[in-house]
Amino acid sequence: QLVLWTILSSRWPQLADYLEEKPEMLEKIRKQDLADVHDENFKKLLEELVVRDVINGVKDKDMPSHIPLKIATIKKSAQMRA
């Protein structure tokens, strides 16, 4: 979980900030239910395969696990930064 969050927040800080404000959007992003996202550039980012791979915890050489990012992880991270 920490690895996934670290990757996401390092590569896409805007997305990390967004998810800290709206952690419930994680599931919508995972399902590609992006109707609530009105910024077209941000929507394109959320549609990128590499972003979805990190959110879904897709296993590859950089991510050794196959555990999807959890809302609880995002909330804990937000609490630690506050």
Side-chain angles (χ1 to χ4, degrees), residues 7-8 15 21 25 28-32 38-39 41 44 53 67 69 75 77 80-82:
I7 292 168
L8 188 144
L15 176 55
E21 291 177 25
M25 285 299 295
K28 290 186 174 194
I29 294 167
R30 190 171 279 131
K31 295 174 186 173
Q32 288 295 284
H38 303 292
D39 181 317
N41 290 327
K44 287 179 185 177
D53 284 352
I67 301 170
L69 185 61
K75 289 180 178 180
S77 174
M80 289 190 296
R81 288 184 9 157

Side-chain angles (χ1 to χ4, degrees), residues 14 18 22 25 28-29 33-47:
Q14 179 187 11
Y18 179 78
K22 300 178 180 187
M25 285 299 295
K28 290 186 174 194
I29 294 167
D33 177 8
L34 304 176
D36 294 336
V37 179
H38 303 292
D39 181 317
E40 287 302 315
N41 290 327
F42 193 59
K43 189 179 283 191
K44 287 179 185 177
L45 171 68
L46 299 177
E47 292 171 342

